[in-house]
């Protein structure tokens, strides 16, 4: 089939390359000419650049800035533009979605199917269907950055929000190899399809903030949240995934999606106030890291040399949108610390967004002369750092593990003062776990 993908950011670029991988001819469209040029040259925001290179080289995948060209190219148009938080409220900014649908509807022929993939407030698809003559469907996306290609080619499920048998048949034809491989398909009306995505993100955010709220209780009592999480995670009904306490979630999706969901619920007269608490718990974890940094630096970070390991909001991505690591780094810099950041992939993006932070080309360089180390993005490379080697590089061996994955005993044995969120500092609690306060 001949498909277009409108909006070629993290979601759209992945979708375009994966649709080509499924055997379709694909034209990607973006309003940003630099992005179009970068993609055409093989620079991608996901981990398998070879996938894009293979399909651009064969001509099966191309990129353009022209909607007219896109409308003439094919029948099924996937709309993957951004839905960031509005500047004046918690709600989603639908300008890009509205504009992409309007542009496509203007040029598209009578047989065109416009398929929304962006995450939108419930009611958006219905509103667009009432506004434009072209047929509309909603096919929300669940990919995780870092596993984007895998998640697109082998998703847990496909959700098809459709208003006609024809739309469903077209989408089933697009995804035929994925469906043939056994992926469950859920067909739904527009509002249900939209809600599947926001509900899934709300649930995941709630699970993370639940364990982080437990971390706060652990900090107040001398209990250990990592042991707590392991023990409750053995219960199948709870499960272990998304139950690691740390500096919390960030990125271009979860934070803005839960805010937009709570905002939309208010408009509908339904209370999802708990999502605001989920958000608040999440932000408090960043405060806690800043607090720990101050504590470890003797009350103030002014003049302290602080190394931040991580800039991306999660490993295996260069995405720094609402990154907890950079948020903490910037706050410490504002407090007068001399902050040096290292990240395996996100350095260019971080430098552009936070030009006043220091940057080091390697973890070793970043550690040189540090008074305090903060481990804030869970890259496997950081877990492999030897505490002994790191000890020989820093000025003062003090570390906060903001992701709860480093082996405390190993770091302490190498002479480090070690702190993690939701866990007593080694030596802080007595044999029965009672705080020495
Ligand atoms: P992004 O900011 O990386 O990409 C959006 C792209 O759309 C940009 O390249 C921008 O230039 C382009 N664009 C904006 N207006 C346009 C227009 N009128 N016509 C053509 N292109 C236009 O955003 P993203 O992370 O890819 O997210 C896109 C949507 O997908 C959001 O709704 C997001 O919530 C959702 N989503 C993202 C992910 C993810 O992991 N990033 C996962 C699932 C769903």
């Amino acid at each position: 089939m001949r498909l277009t993908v409108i909006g070629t950011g993290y979601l759209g670029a992945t979708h375009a390359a994966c649709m080509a991988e499924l055997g379709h001819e694909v034209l990607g469209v973006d309003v940003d000419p630099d992005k179009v040029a970068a993609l055409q040259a093989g620079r991608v925001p996901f981990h398998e650049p070879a996938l894009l290179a293979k399909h651009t080289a064969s001509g099966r995948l191309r990129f353009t800035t022209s909607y007219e060209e896109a409308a003439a190219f094919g029948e099924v148009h996937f709309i993957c533009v951004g839905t960031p938080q509005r500047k004046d409220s918690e709600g989603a900014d639908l300008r890009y979605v509205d504009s992409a649908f309007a542009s496509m509807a203007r040029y598209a022929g009578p047989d065109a199917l416009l398929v929304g993939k962006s995450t939108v407030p419930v009611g958006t698809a219905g509103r667009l269907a009432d506004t434009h003559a072209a047929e509309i469907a909603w096919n929300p996306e669940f990919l995780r950055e870092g596993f984007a290609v895998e998640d697109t080619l082998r998703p847990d499920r496909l959700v098809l929000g459709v208003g006609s048998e024809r739309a469903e048949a077209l989408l089933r034809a697009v995804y035929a190899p994925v469906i043939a491989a056994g992926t469950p398909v859920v067909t739904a009306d527009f509002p249900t399809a939209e809600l599947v995505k926001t509900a899934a993100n709300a649930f995941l955010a709630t699970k993370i903030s639940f364990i982080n709220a437990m971390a706060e209780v652990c900090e107040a009592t001398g209990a250990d949240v990592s042991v707590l999480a392991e023990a409750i995670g053995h219960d199948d009904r709870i499960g272990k995934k998304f139950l690691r306490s740390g500096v919390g979630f960030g990125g271009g999706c979860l934070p803005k999606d839960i805010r937009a969901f709570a905002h939309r619920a208010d408009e509908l007269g339904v209370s999802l106030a708990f999502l605001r608490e989920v958000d608040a718990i999440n932000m408090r974890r960043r405060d806690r890291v800043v607090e720990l940094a101050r504590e470890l630096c003797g009350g103030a970070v002014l003049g302290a040399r602080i190394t931040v390991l991580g800039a991306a909001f999660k490993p295996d991505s260069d995405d720094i949108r609402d990154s907890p690591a950079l948020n903490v780094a910037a706050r410490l810099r504002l407090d007068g610390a001399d902050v040096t950041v290292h990240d395996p992939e996100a350095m260019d993006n971080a430098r552009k967004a936070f030009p006043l932070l220091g940057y080091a080309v390697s973890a070793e360089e970043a550690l040189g002369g540090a008074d305090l180390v903060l481990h804030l993005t869970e890259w496997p490379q950081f877990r492999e750092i030897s505490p002994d080697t790191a000890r020989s590089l820093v000025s003062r061996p003090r570390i906060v593990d903001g992701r709860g994955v480093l082996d405390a005993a190993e770091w302490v044995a190498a002479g480090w003062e070690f702190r993690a969120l939701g866990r007593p500092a080694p030596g802080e609690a007595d044999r029965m776990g009672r705080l020495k306060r």
Side-chain angles (χ1 to χ4, degrees):
M1 294 171 80
R2 287 162 72 86
L3 315 175
T4 75
V5 176
I6 320 292
T8 53
Y10 285 91
L11 163 59
T14 310
H15 192 66
C18 290
M19 291 304 101
E21 180 70 7
L22 293 183
H24 302 300
E25 281 189 51
V26 184
L27 182 64
V29 185
D30 205 288
V31 286
D32 179 347
D34 292 342
K35 195 162 278 187
V36 166
L39 287 165
Q40 200 63 54
R43 287 196 298 281
V44 291
F46 54 87
H47 265 269
E48 278 114 310
L51 191 67
L52 185 109
K54 175 171 119 189
H55 296 303
T56 46
S58 73
R60 197 187 283 168
L61 172 59
R62 287 189 300 113
F63 295 91
T64 180
T65 53
S66 164
Y67 270 94
E68 256 177 298
E69 193 184 340
F73 182 82
E75 204 179 345
V76 180
H77 307 283
F78 286 99
I79 295 180
C80 303
V81 298
T83 49
Q85 187 177 335
R86 289 174 63 100
K87 298 233 177 325
D88 57 354
S89 80
E90 291 176 304
D93 186 346
L94 293 175
R95 265 180 303 169
Y96 309 102
V97 166
D98 288 349
S99 153
F101 271 89
S103 305
M104 212 57 232
R106 185 158 58 245
Y107 294 114
D111 290 335
L113 179 66
L114 311 192
V115 185
K117 285 194 82 62
S118 305
T119 303
V120 290
V122 58
T124 304
R127 175 175 62 76
L128 291 166
D130 289 343
T131 312
H132 302 297
E135 178 156 21
I136 282 173
W138 219 269
N139 167 219
E141 178 58 55
F142 303 93
L143 67 83
R144 299 160 297 166
E145 285 180 29
F147 304 90
V149 168
E150 172 66 18
D151 284 351
T152 307
L153 295 175
R154 280 168 284 280
D156 291 339
R157 77 298 213 186
L158 285 167
V159 175
L160 309 180
V162 286
S164 75
E165 282 176 13
R166 174 181 168 268
E168 180 177 343
L170 276 172
L171 283 172
R172 283 183 178 270
V174 168
Y175 290 115
V178 176
I179 296 169
T183 302
V185 179
V186 179
T187 52
D189 50 36
F190 290 164
T192 309
E194 292 164 322
L195 278 171
V196 173
K197 174 65 189 176
T198 39
N201 273 0
F203 185 85
L204 295 172
T206 303
K207 200 168 176 193
I208 297 171
S209 278
F210 172 82
I211 199 64
N212 281 334
M214 295 306 108
E216 292 183 340
V217 179
C218 289
E219 280 155 15
T221 56
D224 186 329
V225 74
S226 62
V227 179
L228 172 77
E230 191 201 334
I232 63 173
H234 281 302
D235 184 331
D236 277 351
R237 294 167 304 174
I238 296 173
K240 286 187 195 257
K241 287 187 180 165
F242 270 56
L243 213 57
R244 189 177 308 119
S245 145
V247 68
F249 56 82
C253 290
L254 284 193
K256 59 107 177 151
D257 286 349
I258 58 169
R259 289 171 201 149
F261 197 14
H263 181 83
R264 182 68 183 128
D266 285 348
E267 289 174 348
L268 296 166
V270 181
S271 172
L272 291 184
F274 78 95
L275 286 178
R276 298 204 167 88
E277 186 55 25
V278 165
D279 194 9
I281 293 164
N282 190 53
M283 299 316 269
R284 287 205 296 270
R285 291 290 77 191
R286 301 179 188 188
D287 300 343
R288 177 69 185 142
V289 175
V290 171
E291 216 176 270
L292 272 174
R294 286 196 194 114
E295 225 173 279
L296 285 166
C297 291
V301 295
L302 184 69
R305 297 184 62 172
I306 299 181
T307 296
V308 172
L309 295 177
F313 84 95
K314 65 187 278 192
D316 296 316
S317 174
D318 68 351
D319 192 348
I320 57 152
R321 289 178 289 184
D322 200 2
S323 158
L326 287 173
N327 180 274
V328 167
R331 284 162 65 178
L332 293 170
R333 168 79 174 72
L334 265 182
D335 283 353
D338 175 5
V339 180
T340 302
V341 177
H342 174 70
D343 188 283
E345 297 276 351
M347 298 285 275
D348 289 346
N349 287 341
R351 238 190 235 107
K352 273 183 227 146
F354 295 89
L356 296 182
L357 296 172
Y359 293 94
V361 295
S362 65
E364 289 70 26
E365 186 188 312
L367 290 167
D371 296 313
L372 172 66
V373 180
L374 305 178
H375 171 235
L376 299 182
T377 308
E378 198 188 325
W379 284 98
Q381 292 90 318
F382 296 154
R383 255 180 283 164
E384 282 156 21
I385 292 173
S386 140
D388 286 318
T389 311
R391 170 85 179 80
S392 69
L393 299 171
V394 298
S395 275
R396 287 157 188 256
R398 303 187 286 211
I399 184 163
V400 177
D401 180 12
R403 290 295 174 185
V405 292
L406 301 180
D407 184 334
E410 235 182 73
W411 286 79
V412 171
W416 286 76
E417 189 173 348
F418 184 95
R419 303 295 292 271
L421 301 182
R423 295 162 70 183
E428 190 185 45
D430 68 14
R431 205 167 51 83
M432 296 301 289
R434 287 180 298 256
L435 283 181
K436 292 175 184 164
R437 277 188 190 150

